């Protein structure tokens, strides 16, 4: 008999104005709240959060910057602060790194966490894991957590106001769920219910973005919410999160390995997780030796979703910087999930092929 341990968020709300349910949700979890997030995220939602908590008779103890990196030092610093303030519930706002940090603090202290993403760049808001880095932003590890958020608040009106590049990042990261799980399945065919469920959810991610991604991206470029945006938000957060949850995290491959390689270069580290993963998707297709027409079709979808197609769109890299990125990518743990071994020469050739095809998109 085998055992499984699936950890799901207790509640996921998505729609226009759902931030207005924050106070009631927090009141059901604790009376003393600590708000943690990125600088811009805190500025964007502080007034609404404060008003919501006040109306629900929940004390806002403090608001605190998460530190800039999901590092052990920042997690421990925030855990000490939450303990000192006797916080009963944590509210995380911002993007992937800030939410991953707050989730890790909550897990360390056994406190409920409410996530309020202010950008739709990853599925971090729903997942019971944190991607940790060192204090300088270099990839450290993927850290499973014993708990998922108590509530996830995905406000489409709020997310429509965020810079469109962060939606593009979410689209790139979510497309990876299909490209990578398909690649992983080539080595380890889905043969149990959980794996089949994860594979099905990854296919849903792709299908929803292929149909609605370009329109949602175009709407956010105009600062507008839309039915297409609601569809892709479900893909970015819910369906992508379920892909990760049902696979117990064993679904990442070259796309994320390439992202992890980019974190070792100062010029590319802060470009955006999902945007770098999105470029990695294209390299993964090249590594799989897929036909030019198939790759070109996926490159057109990536382009229409705001994902970069070339290295030059990411940064101007010299020979040594590119070599470091390639070397670290090849040695990243996620690269081991590819069906065939990936060498530095193969990965560099894949990048060159994508660069050449970009002129035909």
């Amino acid at each position: 008999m085998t055992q499984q341990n699936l950890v799901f968020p207790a509640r996921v709300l998505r729609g226009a104005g759902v931030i207005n349910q924050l106070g009631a949700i927090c009141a059901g979890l604790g009376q003393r709240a600590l708000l943690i997030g990125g600088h811009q995220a805190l500025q964007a939602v502080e007034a609404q959060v404060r008003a919501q908590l006040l109306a629900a008779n929940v004390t806002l103890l403090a608001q605190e910057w998460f530190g800039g990196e999901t590092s052990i030092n920042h997690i421990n610093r925030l855990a000490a602060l939450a303990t000192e303030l006797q916080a009963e519930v944590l509210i995380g706002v911002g993007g992937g790194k800030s939410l991953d940090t707050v989730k890790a603090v909550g897990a360390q202290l056994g406190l409920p966490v409410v996530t309020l993403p202010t950008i739709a760049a990853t599925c971090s808001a729903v997942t019971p894991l944190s991607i940790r880095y060192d204090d300088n932003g270099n990839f450290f590890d993927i850290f499973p957590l014993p708990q998922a958020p108590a509530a996830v608040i995905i406000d489409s009106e709020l997310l429509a106001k965020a810079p469109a590049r962060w939606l593009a990042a979410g689209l790139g990261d979510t497309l990876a769920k299909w490209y990578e799980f398909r690649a992983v399945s080539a080595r380890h065919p889905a043969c149990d219910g959980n794996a089949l469920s994860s594979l099905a959810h990854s296919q849903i991610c792709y299908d929803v973005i292929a149909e609605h991604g370009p329109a949602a991206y175009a709407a956010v470029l105009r600062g507008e919410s839309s039915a297409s945006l609601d569809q892709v938000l479900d893909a970015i957060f819910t369906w992508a999160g379920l892909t990760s949850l049902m696979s117990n995290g064993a679904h990442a491959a070259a796309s994320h390995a390439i992202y992890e390689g980019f974190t070792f270069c100062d010029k590319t580290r802060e470009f955006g997780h999902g945007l770098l993963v999105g470029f990695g998707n294209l390299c993964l297709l090249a590594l799989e030796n897929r036909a030019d027409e198939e790759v070109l079709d996926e490159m057109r979808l990536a382009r229409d979703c705001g994902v970069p197609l070339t290295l030059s769109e990411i940064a101007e890299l010299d020979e040594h910087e590119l070599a470091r990125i390639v070397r670290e990518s090849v040695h990243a743990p996620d690269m081991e999930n590819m069906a065939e071994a990936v060498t530095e020469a193969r990965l560099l050739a894949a990048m060159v092929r994508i660069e050449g095809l970009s002129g035909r998109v």
Side-chain angles (χ1 to χ4, degrees):
M1 297 288 290
T2 60
Q3 294 184 345
Q4 65 178 11
N5 181 29
L6 301 177
V7 184
F8 295 91
R11 188 175 181 185
V12 179
L13 292 82
R14 191 273 299 152
V18 292
I19 191 174
N20 294 319
Q21 299 184 48
L22 174 68
I25 289 170
C26 288
L29 298 170
Q31 296 301 308
R32 298 169 61 82
L34 175 59
L35 176 63
I36 302 171
H39 288 311
Q40 292 180 328
L42 290 169
Q43 185 177 8
V45 302
E46 185 221 345
Q48 288 171 286
V49 170
R50 191 175 293 277
Q52 280 289 305
L53 296 182
L54 181 64
N57 294 316
V58 176
T59 300
L60 178 58
L61 301 169
Q63 64 175 53
E64 183 74 13
W65 179 50
F66 81 99
E69 295 296 342
T70 308
S71 69
I72 293 173
N73 286 334
H74 286 306
I75 292 166
N76 289 338
R77 173 182 63 83
L78 292 165
L81 175 64
T83 300
E84 178 186 347
L85 295 175
Q86 298 181 318
E88 296 174 354
V89 57
L90 305 178
I91 304 170
V93 299
K97 286 188 176 182
S98 61
L99 300 183
D100 275 2
T101 302
V102 179
K103 290 186 302 181
V105 173
Q108 184 168 314
L109 299 178
L111 292 177
V113 172
V114 177
T115 57
L116 174 61
T118 56
I119 57 175
T122 72
C123 63
S124 170
V126 305
T127 56
L129 59 85
S130 294
I131 300 175
R132 299 191 297 187
Y133 304 80
D134 65 23
D135 289 337
N136 296 318
N138 299 313
F139 173 77
F140 179 65
D141 69 0
I142 298 175
F143 185 60
L145 303 173
Q147 67 180 44
V152 183
I153 299 176
I154 304 164
D155 193 310
S156 53
E157 284 185 346
L158 175 66
L159 294 168
K161 298 173 184 175
R165 75 186 307 268
W166 295 122
L167 178 64
L171 295 171
D173 194 45
T174 305
L175 285 169
K177 296 296 186 283
W178 169 243
Y179 297 132
E180 289 190 298
F181 204 104
R182 181 177 60 177
V184 171
S185 297
R187 180 176 181 182
H188 303 291
C191 58
D192 65 22
N194 287 342
L196 290 169
S197 173
S198 188
L199 184 62
H201 284 116
S202 72
Q203 177 77 67
I204 292 170
C205 287
Y206 178 86
D207 290 344
V208 169
I209 291 176
E211 181 174 353
H212 297 284
Y217 178 66
V220 172
L221 281 172
R222 301 188 299 268
E224 299 173 1
S225 186
S226 66
S228 287
L229 178 61
D230 284 341
Q231 289 293 312
V232 301
L233 291 179
D234 286 343
I236 290 168
F237 292 106
T238 305
W239 307 125
L242 286 170
T243 300
S244 301
L245 289 166
M246 298 306 294
S247 68
N248 286 319
H251 63 281
S255 303
H256 277 79
I258 291 167
Y259 158 73
E260 288 150 13
F262 275 121
T263 70
F264 287 87
C265 176
D266 292 340
K267 291 180 181 178
T268 57
R269 181 178 297 121
E270 301 301 329
F271 188 77
H273 171 94
L275 294 170
L276 296 171
V277 168
F279 174 75
N281 290 335
L282 306 178
C283 297
L284 182 154
L285 296 173
L287 286 169
E288 292 182 306
N289 296 313
R290 295 190 176 271
D292 282 359
E293 285 309 313
E294 179 181 354
V295 176
L296 285 166
D297 283 344
E298 303 308 327
M299 292 178 75
R300 293 183 189 103
L301 175 59
R303 176 202 60 197
D304 292 346
C305 290
V307 172
L309 306 186
T310 64
L311 282 169
S312 60
E313 293 176 69
I314 298 170
E316 294 297 332
L317 300 170
D318 63 33
E319 180 181 343
H320 298 292
E321 290 165 336
L322 180 56
R324 174 80 187 277
I325 290 167
V326 169
R327 181 170 66 253
E328 297 293 346
S329 299
V330 167
H331 294 291
D334 288 330
M335 195 65 87
E336 296 176 6
N337 290 327
M338 294 295 290
E340 296 182 13
V342 178
T343 64
E344 293 178 33
R346 283 192 66 211
L347 178 53
L348 187 58
M351 290 180 171
V352 169
R353 182 183 171 202
I354 295 301
E355 198 85 17
L357 289 173
S358 67
R360 296 170 53 186
V361 175

